[in-house]
């Protein structure tokens, strides 16, 4: 057993941890303060974990019988449980440390999706443990003998918390697994449209909510397990129809789900730190998802409803490499760049794959030394997750003052000599403004086609972006294609500049 009473000191510690989490979110809102934000997050989580371990030490009851007096109940530390907890923490820390050191920045979106799935699964497992042993979690006071076995009656409010926590956690888990498979390339980026998917989804969601309501009056096992299974299924069905173009929003949305699942389980565990942290993660993730939907001209409701309104043939045409286009060399690009007054660099996922951010910064520094104004344009959903390009440029020590968001720099392309696009396909595609049949139609894009010259680095003309559509920009008269590995091409340009 463990003590469920939280001391005032523990409440104060959880409050301090919550303040640290708020400061962490504030710091992470800007690349310049992101390291400070990470430190606040680490401090807050350390305080929360240590406080929980100290206030919830596993205890064992011992009945001491005396010949001279009444029996006495003594509490001692359950050292076996303590060792198990420490071993679990050590194992998790080791896995996290090895993963953080080995993971490539290109795989960061997949890692985030995988972490979201673990948060969701943890919420489900906590809910299962609380349902099977409610007295240990302090959510049951009344025990009724039932066919020779004790039957613990769970508080009605706790049943709501359990139902919601398990449902959100299961949706987060299965949805995050699908997102991971899509981001990792194990599943295609195109939407998978199931017949009658909206009717099925609405029926399942209504069924889950109805069962949670019924669970309040009847805590039968079949109700609890049916809620769990249906929630796993709906998580799968909600994410499968969402295409690659909307995947950054999905990652942010699943982040929000994981927060709400943690908050719901915080009520079950009587842990205010989990409630505060979950609410912060859930609300901030929801706000970010809404902002990203606006940036992509997507309906927030349609995305969370599982690709509502998309047609089954979404995905656009295949790459039309037989159309006329111009090919250039590193020497051609170096000459155009050196003669320019202003160059805007547009990084994308291709830069991340090639790990070209460091040599790209070197190219920018050389151009600056020759008097060229160099700026970096970041689309809100460039890469595979929010802030992907910002992190890569910060890793390469690109000055923060040189990095601009879409709304701040889009008007400058018309006065720019060279737009240097390195692997950013969908976010520079003019079809988003002209082709109503395109799955990215309506999404704000960077107006790189307005520059006098567009230099576009791409491995080959045969590939398409993550949304599965060809880029009209490749075939414009002012576009010169630089076909090669992004890092190798930029290295050759740097040599030519010398």
């Amino acid at each position: 057993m463990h003590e469920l009473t939280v001391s005032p000191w523990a409440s104060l510690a959880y409050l301090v941890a919550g303040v640290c989490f708020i400061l962490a979110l504030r710091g992470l809102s800007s690349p310049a303060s992101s390291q400070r934000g990470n430190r606040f997050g680490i401090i807050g989580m350390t305080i929360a974990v240590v406080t929980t371990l100290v206030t919830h030490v596993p205890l064992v009851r011992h009945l001491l019988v005396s010949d001279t007096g009444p029996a006495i109940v003594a509490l001692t530390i359950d050292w076996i449980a303590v060792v198990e907890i420490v071993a679990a923490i050590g194992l998790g820390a080791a896995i996290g440390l090895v993963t953080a050191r080995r993971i490539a920045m290109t795989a960061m979106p997949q890692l985030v999706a995988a972490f979201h799935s673990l948060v969701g699964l943890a919420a489900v497992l906590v809910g299962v443990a609380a349902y099977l042993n409610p007295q240990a979690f302090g959510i049951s006071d009344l025990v009724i003998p039932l066919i020779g076995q004790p039957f613990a009656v769970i508080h009605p409010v706790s049943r709501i918390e359990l139902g919601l926590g398990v449902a959100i956690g299961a949706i987060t888990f299965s949805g995050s697994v699908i997102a991971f498979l899509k981001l990792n390339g194990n599943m295609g980026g195109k939407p998978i449209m199931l017949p009658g998917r909206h009717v099925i989804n609405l029926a399942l969601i209504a069924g889950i909510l109805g069962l949670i309501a019924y669970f309040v009056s009847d805590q039968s096992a079949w109700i609890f397990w049916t809620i769990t299974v249906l929630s796993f299924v709906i998580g799968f069905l909600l994410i499968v129809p969402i295409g690659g173009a909307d995947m950054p929003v999905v990652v942010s949305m699943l982040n929000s789900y994981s927060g709400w699942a943690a908050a719901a389980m915080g009520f079950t565990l009587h842990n205010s730190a989990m409630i505060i942290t979950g609410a912060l993660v859930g609300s901030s993730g929801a706000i970010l998802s809404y902002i990203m939907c606006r940036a992509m001209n997507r309906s927030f409701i349609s995305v969370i409803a599982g690709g509502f309104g998309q047609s089954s043939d979404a995905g656009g045409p295949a790459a039309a490499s037989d159309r006329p286009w111009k090919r250039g060399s590193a020497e051609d690009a170096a000459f155009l760049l050196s003669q320019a007054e202003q160059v805007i660099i547009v990084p994308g996922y291709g830069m991340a794959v090639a790990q070209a951010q460091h040599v790209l910064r070197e190219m920018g520094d050389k151009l600056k030394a020759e008097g060229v104004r160099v700026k970096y344009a970041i689309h809100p959903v460039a890469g595979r997750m929010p802030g992907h390009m910002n992190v890569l440029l910060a890793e390469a020590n690109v000055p923060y003052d040189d990095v601009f968001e879409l709304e701040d720099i889009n008007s400058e392309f018309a006065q720019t000599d060279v737009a240097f696009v390195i692997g950013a396909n969908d976010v520079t595609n003019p079809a988003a403004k002209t082709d109503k049949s395109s799955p990215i139609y309506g999404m704000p894009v960077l107006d790189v086609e307005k520059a006098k010259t567009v230099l576009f680095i791409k491995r080959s003309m045969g590939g398409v972006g993550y949304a599965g559509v060809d880029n009209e920009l490749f075939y414009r008269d002012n576009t010169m294609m630089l076909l090669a590995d992004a890092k190798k091409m930029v290295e050759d340009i740097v040599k030519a500049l010398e």
Side-chain angles (χ1 to χ4, degrees), residues 18 47 58-59 154 161 166 170 186 217 232 252 286 291 297 306 319 321 328 347 378 383 402 427 429 432 435 442 445:
I47 293 173
L59 302 175
I154 302 174
E161 298 164 0
V166 168
N186 303 108
S217 59
F232 279 125
S252 177
I291 292 173
N297 197 29
S321 57
I378 306 295
D402 293 347
V427 298
N429 195 336
D435 185 2
V445 293

Side-chain angles (χ1 to χ4, degrees), residues 242 246 249-250 253 289-310 439 441-444:
I242 299 178
D246 292 330
V249 180
V250 172
M253 182 180 66
S289 300
Y290 176 73
I291 292 173
M292 292 178 65
C293 282
R294 289 187 59 188
M296 298 171 65
N297 197 29
R298 291 286 194 266
S299 166
F300 182 70
I301 299 299
S302 69
V303 173
I304 65 175
F308 187 89
Q310 295 185 13
Y441 178 74
M443 181 179 80

